Structures are given as C-alpha cells and as structure tokens.
Amino acid sequence: MSKTSTIKSRASGKATLASVAARAGVSAMTASRALSQPERVSDAVRARVGLAVAELGYVPNRAARALASAQSNVIVVLVPSLSNAVFTAVLEGIEDAIGSGNYQLLIGNTRYSDAEEEKLLGIYLQSNPDGILLSSLSQSARVARMLAASNVPLVSMMDLGSAPGQLSVGFSQFDAGRAMTRYLIGKGHRRIGFIGAQLDERTLRRADGYRKAMDEAGLLDARLELMVGEPSTIALGAQLVQRMLAQAPDCDAVFCCNDDLAHGAIYQCQRRGIKVPEQLAVCGFNDLPASAWMTPSVTTIATPRYRIGFEAASLLLALIKGEAPPAAQVDLGFTLMARESA
Amino acid sequence: MSKTSTIKSRASGKATLASVAARAGVSAMTASRALSQPERVSDAVRARVGLAVAELGYVPNRAARALASAQSNVIVVLVPSLSNAVFTAVLEGIEDAIGSGNYQLLIGNTRYSDAEEEKLLGIYLQSNPDGILLSSLSQSARVARMLAASNVPLVSMMDLGSAPGQLSVGFSQFDAGRAMTRYLIGKGHRRIGFIGAQLDERTLRRADGYRKAMDEAGLLDARLELMVGEPSTIALGAQLVQRMLAQAPDCDAVFCCNDDLAHGAIYQCQRRGIKVPEQLAVCGFNDLPASAWMTPSVTTIATPRYRIGFEAASLLLALIKGEAPPAAQVDLGFTLMARESA
DNA sequence: CTGAAAGCGCTTACAG
DNA sequence: CTGAAAGCGCTTACAG
C-alpha cells in the first residue's frame, strides 16, 4: 500500500513542484504561479506554498522549466581570453548588468581560436540561449552560419560594427590606434615602430589606425612594423623591443598594441640601459593598473572595458525583452593617457 | 490537409530528434542512439541519421536531455575573483581537464562575498550540476547547508582540507606563509612586517604561517601586522607600505600576502627613494608574470594554480564517474622564488 | 540491432 | 484567483 512501491521509477527523489503543491494543498499550476508570479495569487496561497518550499527544500528544476517554457534564461558570453584583464573587466560589467535576474551566464574562453569558438558555440547553443555576447565583429564562416541559424539575439563587444543590423558596443580600435600614433608624431617622433602580437581583429585595426596616421604624415615604412602571432606577454614584449631595435636601429618610439607588451618592452629597456622615453619612447594600449605605477609611468589608451560589458549586456537584455535597440552602435570612446614613457 | 494546421502548438519550430528520425526512416530511439552511442547502431543507420542531422541543422536540446536522463553534464565552478590572475589560471586548468567532453562549465564569480556565493549557488543548483568545484575549504552556514542538501560531488581547490571525506587539491597556505617568513629570517631580517588585504581564508592562513615562523624565532610583534579588508591592488600595496613604515619605522622587510600588493609596495618605494632590498626587503606571493621582470625582480612564492585547476577537475570527473578518489588531499606544493627584492 | 510506451518536472493555453 | 489537461524534446527500461 506504500506510495513508494512503484517499480520502475525514474524520479530523482528530490522535491518537485508537485510535491510542494500537494503539501500546500493547491494544484501544481497554482504552486508554479505562486513562485513565478506571486502577485497573481492570494496571500494565503503564497504563504502556504512558501512554507512548503522551505520545508521540502525545494529547488526548481531549470531543465524542466526551460523545456516547458522554451525560455532558457541563459546568456552566452564568448571572450578570447581570461588571462587578459581586459576581458575579465568586460565580464564583470556583464555580471553587474545581468544583476539580480535569474539569468545564467555561460562564459566561454575561445583562446583566440576559431576552432575553439566553434566547439564552444556548438555546445552552448544546445542550451537554447536567450542571447549571445561576442567579443568580435566577425567570425569564421561556420560560426557565422551557426549564429545565423540559431536566430538568437546577439550583441558584439569591443569594436564598432558597420554591417546593417549588427549591434555593437565598444569604441573604434582604428581611431584609437590613429590617435596614439598622432600623439607620438606630435611629440616629434618620426621613426615610430608598431609592435603587434596575437594579431586578432582588434590588434589589426589598431595597426590600421597606426598606418593611416603614419601615412598621413608621410612617415609610413613597413620596416617599422613587427607583427607576430604569439599571445601577448611581458616576456614577448621584452623580446620584441629587441627585435624592433635590431631591424630598425633608428626607431625612436614604439607603439605596443597592448600594455603587457609595453611593460615588457620597458622592463627590457631598463635592463639594457636604454632610457625611456629619452632614447626610446614606449606606449601601450588598455591602461592596465601597473601602467600608472611603473617608473616611468606608461602612456597608453584607457579603454572603457567594464562599461562595454555593462552596456552590451543591458542592450542584449532589452533585445531579449523585445524592445527596439536605441542605436545599432554604441560608441563608448577611449582616452589617451599621456604619461612619462612617451 | 497541411501538417502545420495544428492550432495550439508549443513546438519551437526547430528540428527535433523526432524529425531527424522521421527523415532517416528510423524511430526516435534509434536516432538517439545513433548520436549518443554510435557503436551500438548499424553503419547504415548511423549514416542516414548523420545525414538527416546535417540536412535539418539539428541541434540537440540540452534541457530535454537533462530532464530525461537526470544528468545535466554541467559542472559548477565558484571562484572569488576574475580580476585575480590566479583564478583565471585555475579556470584554464579546469577547462583543459574537462577538455573534449560535452561538459558545460558554469563559472561563478563570488567576489569574495558570502551573499554572492549563496545567490550564485542557488541559481546554479537549479541546473542540477554533476559536480562542483570550490575555491575554499569552508563556507557560510547557509551555503554549506545548500551544498550538503544537494548531494553533488564536490572538490575544494587552493588549500588542503583536513575534514574527513573532504576532497581538496592545492597546497598548504600555512606552510607557504611560514616558508617565506623563514626565508626572510634566514636573510637576517628581524623586524618583518606582514601586509594582508582582502582577508579571505587563504590570506588568513598565510598570516598564520607568518606568525608561526615569527614566534618560533622569538620575533613575533603584533605591531608588525597590517591587515585590511579591501581588495588587493597595486594602489593599495603602495598605500599600505607607507602605513607599515609609519607604524613600525624599524621594519626591515615586508611580506605582502600577494604579488599585486608587493608590486605596489615596490613602486612606492621607488617613488619615495627607499632602496629595495637594501633599506626594505619586499616579497610577495603567487609569482605573477611581472614579478620576474620588474627591477628589482620580486621574491615570491610560485603557486601551481593551473595544475590545481587541472587536477581538481580531473578528480571531480573521476568522482562523477563513480570512481573512488585515490587520495582525499592532493598536495601540489609551492616554490619559493628567491629574486632581487628580498 | 531496433522500437513502442512511458515519464522526467515544469509551463502553456484554456476554462471557470 | 485557481485548476485539469496536454505538451516541451529527450532518454530509460523493456521487449523482441
């Protein structure tokens, strides 16, 4: 006569909405409403259901909810790196914007790899996300196809898009690269080298901005460019400044595509007795915390990474709610921090 | 006569296993098997199902699978910070260990807050995770209760546990703190200050190790301790070394509970004309990349963070498969990096 | 090697 | 304000 005499039960044994409802003396429906739309239920019911939930230690089953409602409450975020402080700041902005909602963030680290991005997206799309946040404007053909087929709302971060209908939050990497180069030119430098690593989309755009400024000033010279595919590190910056000086001994300034590289370059100069900025001006990009504290302090571009994450997530949330985006592109700008190193 | 004449369909419109099966001319069951256990199905069936999947652009629905199988393929990871390079390295280790599986990582940033940890865990537990990875040995009473009630396999990272049945992968924070302090004592320092920030579990244990070593050498003096709850930053390190020197002017060495603080302390000394290590020795903890490159290079403790993540995830995976853990505690050790600053 | 039936735990769409 | 029925898209447990 026992209720537990069922033979082939697949039940988890945990409290379910049905058990909560039974305990509260209402239907499953009403229990469901008491939890998700408490204002649409009588005070008495709300109290009884709340009590039953506590007594049973009920934890809603997200999979069941997702399946029944066709709403996952999942937001996918793809970043190219976690070891880069830029993207962890973006993530914090996203977290804060998502805030108190019942959203679940699915964070994917693509490691600057198309294959990895494809793999992660393939897995994450199985969760039927409500929205996607990407750290790039373009992607591999396969990823682009997956994205299009999924039909999930999407916002790009870090740069500004131009394709119609493409939503993006960031700043112009091109303009920032050009602004820094013009600054160096304005300081009287003529043989300005560009050191680029990783060679991701953003680095390439900064390099384009550098070239544009150099060209406008009649200073463009391919021998002043040093581009390598390896990930940016302090060690690599130290190594590349050496190579730059070897390939262009008359180089009087170096524009590093990010601060890690710039820090490494400066540390290396210190070791080799090269005075910064007197003998060689060095500047970076992103304004990591150490840049303001090092000696010499580092001239760089401060980027609104936290705000990019925050605004991009806010925009995505609006999209998910079905609101029309106020603008396709949100330009958050950048700030050139003129310090001692250049 | 159209098949789409259903009135109140809740279907998503996307391809389902059933539609794949129909196209391949098999039952849903067989289609399911063709995908999850391809070796148990005939070559012909496997090929036809594969074709149907491609033609229809079928994406499995994870929620449905989780609900039916009571297996989420989700692993929850809770870290106290993302801006701390230590934990992003841990995450990369975890990602690599999870590797090619179909697992989904649910990464939560608790920001060193019990309330946030509780909130995140509450949300993540709804996903019915297969396993949990935590960055601490102990937690708030409510979180501990949630964890116990969930009955999900769990591995702690970063430190070594002592409670029976508690699985942990890391190294002894206490021993590391003591080792560094002994090193400084061995160098002839007597008035060794300890600078601690954030005051999380790990920092507190390092401080305990420091006290133990100081006490053993008869050098313990509470005025040499400076502990603040704020998050560790370079700026804070700069500020705290000043305060330390004010409260203990005869201090001849400073043990910073992490490298960020140590870097800030050294930068500040440079600005104030205090020679490191001649006038004040400074050491840190974690061995961040800059520590090897700065001038002076920074004496610190190298911690196996990537390996901690990797081994902890490997252990968890074994647990999930039902294997018995080879050991309750996996001690990965640490390495004292004696450099120029102390 | 393959399949018909039932069920996982919720919510939708109605109806009252 | 409340509820009975059906269904979301899979897999389990059997059976053949």
Side-chain angles (χ1 to χ4, degrees):
Chain A
M1 305 302 251
S2 146
K3 277 189 171 180
T4 57
S5 63
T6 325
I7 297 175
K8 51 171 194 169
S9 167
R10 289 166 56 189
S12 60
K14 294 180 185 162
T16 66
L17 232 208
S19 64
V20 167
R23 180 151 195 138
V26 296
S27 71
M29 270 274 25
T30 300
S32 170
R33 260 192 297 255
L35 295 176
S36 53
Q37 313 171 62
E39 70 286 358
R40 297 194 47 187
V41 120
S42 73
D43 292 354
V45 164
R46 201 180 313 129
R48 271 186 293 149
V49 170
L51 188 63
V53 164
E55 290 174 337
L56 262 25
Y58 171 65
V59 176
N61 182 319
R62 220 177 169 92
R65 169 196 278 257
L67 187 56
S69 69
Q71 250 234 321
S72 62
N73 274 316
V74 161
I75 289 179
V76 167
V77 185
L78 258 29
V79 293
S81 165
L82 282 180
S83 46
N84 186 332
V86 169
F87 295 107
T88 55
V90 168
L91 287 176
E92 299 203 328
I94 294 171
E95 287 169 356
D96 285 349
I98 302 299
S100 53
N102 191 30
Y103 277 101
Q104 220 174 240
L105 235 42
L106 235 36
I107 300 170
N109 176 3
T110 68
R111 305 183 182 203
Y112 292 102
S113 151
D114 281 352
E116 189 67 20
E117 180 166 49
E118 194 179 319
K119 179 198 144 199
L120 287 172
L121 197 62
I123 293 181
Y124 291 168
L125 247 18
Q126 299 179 355
S127 290
N128 212 343
D130 293 344
I132 301 179
L133 254 15
L134 249 41
S135 311
S136 55
L137 291 174
S138 59
Q139 41 272 135
S140 75
R142 301 181 69 165
V143 167
R145 223 176 301 130
M146 292 167 80
L147 251 15
S150 76
N151 206 24
V152 177
L154 186 157
V155 175
S156 291
M157 304 184 289
M158 305 315 288
D159 205 341
L160 266 15
S162 53
Q166 180 176 40
L167 297 175
S168 58
V169 177
F171 62 92
S172 168
Q173 304 278 344
F174 177 87
D175 287 355
R178 182 159 66 165
M180 180 57 93
T181 309
R182 283 178 173 171
Y183 166 84
L184 292 170
I185 294 171
K187 281 276 201 170
H189 298 289
R190 290 295 171 266
R191 298 291 290 165
I192 304 167
F194 184 89
I195 290 182
Q198 192 68 67
L199 306 189
D200 57 286
E201 208 177 330
R202 290 163 294 288
T203 295
L204 263 15
R205 296 237 186 174
R206 289 171 204 166
D208 285 340
Y210 156 82
R211 288 189 198 108
K212 178 74 173 176
M214 290 295 274
D215 194 30
E216 286 170 344
L219 300 172
L220 193 59
D221 180 350
R223 284 167 299 182
L224 289 169
E225 289 184 26
L226 185 47
M227 311 283 274
V228 303
E230 300 153 60
S232 293
T233 60
I234 291 177
L236 184 63
Q239 184 189 317
L240 292 183
V241 74
Q242 286 281 115
R243 281 177 53 187
M244 175 62 82
L245 257 15
Q247 88 180 40
D250 61 341
C251 175
D252 56 11
V254 183
F255 177 6
C256 298
C257 76
N258 64 48
D259 275 8
D260 288 305
L261 255 22
H263 296 172
I266 291 174
Y267 290 137
Q268 180 70 355
C269 286
Q270 286 174 175
R271 296 187 172 194
R272 312 285 298 198
I274 299 170
K275 290 194 174 168
V276 177
E278 295 80 0
Q279 291 173 262
L280 184 71
V282 177
C283 65
F285 203 103
N286 278 330
D287 196 19
L288 297 188
S291 289
W293 284 95
M294 287 174 57
T295 309
S297 58
V298 184
T299 293
T300 187
I301 299 274
T303 54
R305 37 194 184 270
Y306 173 88
R307 280 197 63 213
I308 289 176
F310 191 93
E311 299 297 338
S314 302
L315 181 56
L316 184 64
L317 249 23
L319 271 185
I320 291 173
K321 281 187 200 142
E323 298 168 15
Q329 298 180 19
V330 181
D331 186 352
L332 262 21
F334 57 85
T335 308
L336 199 159
M337 309 297 285
R339 298 206 182 98
E340 299 166 354
S341 73
Chain B
M1 308 299 251
S2 146
K3 277 190 173 181
T4 58
S5 64
T6 327
I7 296 175
K8 50 172 190 167
S9 166
R10 289 165 56 189
S12 61
K14 293 179 186 163
T16 66
L17 232 209
S19 63
V20 167
R23 180 150 196 140
V26 296
S27 71
M29 271 273 26
T30 300
S32 170
R33 260 191 297 253
L35 295 176
S36 53
Q37 312 171 63
E39 71 285 359
R40 298 195 45 187
V41 119
S42 72
D43 292 355
V45 163
R46 202 181 313 128
R48 272 186 293 150
V49 170
L51 187 64
V53 164
E55 291 174 336
L56 262 25
Y58 171 66
V59 176
N61 182 319
R62 218 177 171 92
R65 167 196 280 254
L67 186 57
S69 69
Q71 249 232 324
S72 61
N73 274 316
V74 161
I75 289 179
V76 167
V77 185
L78 258 29
V79 294
S81 166
L82 282 180
S83 45
N84 187 333
V86 169
F87 295 105
T88 55
V90 169
L91 288 177
E92 298 202 327
I94 294 170
E95 287 168 357
D96 285 349
I98 301 300
S100 53
N102 191 29
Y103 277 101
Q104 218 173 242
L105 235 42
L106 236 33
I107 301 171
N109 176 4
T110 69
R111 304 185 181 202
Y112 291 102
S113 151
D114 282 351
E116 189 66 20
E117 180 167 46
E118 194 179 318
K119 179 198 143 198
L120 287 171
L121 196 62
I123 293 182
Y124 291 168
L125 246 20
Q126 300 179 354
S127 290
N128 213 342
D130 292 344
I132 301 179
L133 253 17
L134 249 40
S135 311
S136 56
L137 290 174
S138 60
Q139 39 273 136
S140 74
R142 302 180 67 165
V143 167
R145 224 175 301 130
M146 292 166 79
L147 250 17
S150 75
N151 207 24
V152 177
L154 187 158
V155 176
S156 291
M157 306 184 287
M158 306 315 289
D159 205 340
L160 264 18
S162 53
Q166 180 176 39
L167 297 175
S168 57
V169 176
F171 62 95
S172 169
Q173 304 280 342
F174 176 88
D175 287 354
R178 184 159 65 164
M180 179 58 92
T181 308
R182 284 178 172 171
Y183 167 84
L184 292 171
I185 293 170
K187 281 277 200 170
H189 298 289
R190 290 295 172 265
R191 298 293 289 166
I192 303 167
F194 184 90
I195 290 183
Q198 193 69 66
L199 306 189
D200 57 286
E201 207 176 331
R202 289 162 295 288
T203 295
L204 262 17
R205 296 237 187 174
R206 289 171 204 167
D208 285 341
Y210 155 82
R211 288 189 198 107
K212 178 73 172 175
M214 290 295 274
D215 193 30
E216 286 169 346
L219 299 172
L220 194 59
D221 180 349
R223 283 167 301 183
L224 289 169
E225 288 184 28
L226 185 47
M227 311 283 273
V228 303
E230 300 153 58
S232 292
T233 59
I234 290 178
L236 184 64
Q239 184 190 316
L240 292 182
V241 75
Q242 286 281 117
R243 280 176 55 186
M244 175 62 83
L245 257 16
Q247 89 180 37
D250 60 343
C251 176
D252 56 10
V254 183
F255 177 6
C256 298
C257 76
N258 65 47
D259 275 7
D260 289 305
L261 255 23
H263 296 172
I266 290 174
Y267 289 138
Q268 180 70 355
C269 286
Q270 285 175 176
R271 295 188 173 195
R272 312 284 299 197
I274 299 168
K275 290 194 176 167
V276 177
E278 295 79 2
Q279 292 174 260
L280 185 70
V282 177
C283 65
F285 203 103
N286 278 331
D287 196 20
L288 298 188
S291 289
W293 285 94
M294 287 175 57
T295 310
S297 57
V298 185
T299 293
T300 187
I301 298 274
T303 54
R305 38 193 184 270
Y306 173 88
R307 279 198 63 212
I308 289 177
F310 191 92
E311 298 297 339
S314 303
L315 181 56
L316 184 64
L317 249 23
L319 271 184
I320 292 174
K321 281 186 200 142
E323 298 169 15
Q329 298 180 19
V330 181
D331 186 353
L332 262 20
F334 56 85
T335 308
L336 199 159
M337 309 297 285
R339 297 206 182 97
E340 299 166 354
S341 72

